[in-house]
Amino acid sequence: TTPGELHVRQDGRTLGHWELRLLLDTSPQVSFSKPPSVTDQNALRLDYTAIDDVGLSTLTAKLEPSAIAADSPDNTTLELALPLRQPPPLEAHGFRFFDLTAHPWSGSEVFMTLTATDSKGQSASSTTEKIKLPERRFTNPIAKALIKMRKELTARGMGVRREM
């Protein structure tokens, strides 16, 4: 619990001597290395970097809708796992693509935060970024109308839905 010296002796003779220092475990650090973006193929691209002194155990991107009614069934948090190698690395950096075009939030703005957790259970979060998620492009007028209705129902919640 305190720094000090370690002496190993045998028969009055010193076999070894070490000075011991304590290192405090710090929380991980995580950030976007570039702002989240949308590729030409309509995929979400996340560039990230994370470091920790004992090893990273999880790295996730948490997405929360920016304008969805509280009573909407789609008003939940979406977590995207970012892969880490084994054994738990002291640092992770790279990029990852996600196809979210089929998600109910596609075409909507979301708040995105990266979270890193170390092997001791300490967590840290990045700054929050706002981005409009990619969406499929529809040319059929009926498909366009259905997507518009889905977005409206998602954004306005259960109060605007009618029994059929």
Side-chain angles (χ1 to χ4, degrees):
T1 59
T2 60
E5 295 181 357
L6 174 64
H7 298 271
V8 177
R9 294 187 174 122
Q10 182 178 22
D11 298 326
R13 190 169 55 104
T14 299
L15 301 176
H17 171 249
W18 297 271
E19 186 177 325
L20 301 178
R21 293 180 295 141
L22 297 179
L23 299 176
L24 296 176
D25 181 27
T26 60
S27 297
Q29 297 175 10
V30 62
S31 63
F32 291 99
S33 50
K34 292 181 186 174
S37 60
V38 176
T39 68
D40 292 338
Q41 293 78 27
N42 281 336
L44 176 66
R45 179 182 170 137
L46 299 180
D47 291 81
Y48 58 89
T49 185
I51 59 171
D52 187 62
D53 55 350
V54 296
L56 298 160
S57 60
T58 63
L59 186 55
T60 59
K62 182 172 73 170
L63 284 71
E64 295 178 337
S66 66
I68 291 184
D71 67 344
S72 173
D74 296 319
N75 191 12
T76 58
T77 300
L78 175 63
E79 284 197 17
L80 307 173
L82 299 168
L84 294 171
R85 64 184 191 279
Q86 290 297 324
L90 297 179
E91 63 181 62
H93 50 85
F95 59 92
R96 188 80 171 172
F97 297 101
F98 295 94
D99 181 5
L100 299 176
T101 56
H103 194 277
W105 300 344
S106 66
S108 301
E109 288 190 331
V110 297
F111 296 110
M112 186 180 311
T113 307
L114 299 176
T115 301
T117 305
D118 69 12
S119 56
K120 299 286 185 180
Q122 296 182 96
S123 293
S125 296
S126 69
T127 59
T128 300
E129 296 278 341
K130 188 175 185 179
I131 186 172
K132 183 177 179 181
L133 292 179
E135 64 183 325
R136 290 184 184 141
R137 292 182 179 95
F138 292 96
T139 56
N140 183 305
I142 295 173
K144 284 182 178 182
L146 287 172
I147 294 303
K148 182 179 177 185
M149 287 173 29
R150 181 189 79 176
K151 285 182 182 180
E152 184 176 320
L153 291 173
T154 299
R156 293 180 54 203
M158 298 298 286
V160 298
R161 298 179 187 201
R162 295 183 298 213
E163 293 291 326
M164 295 295 226

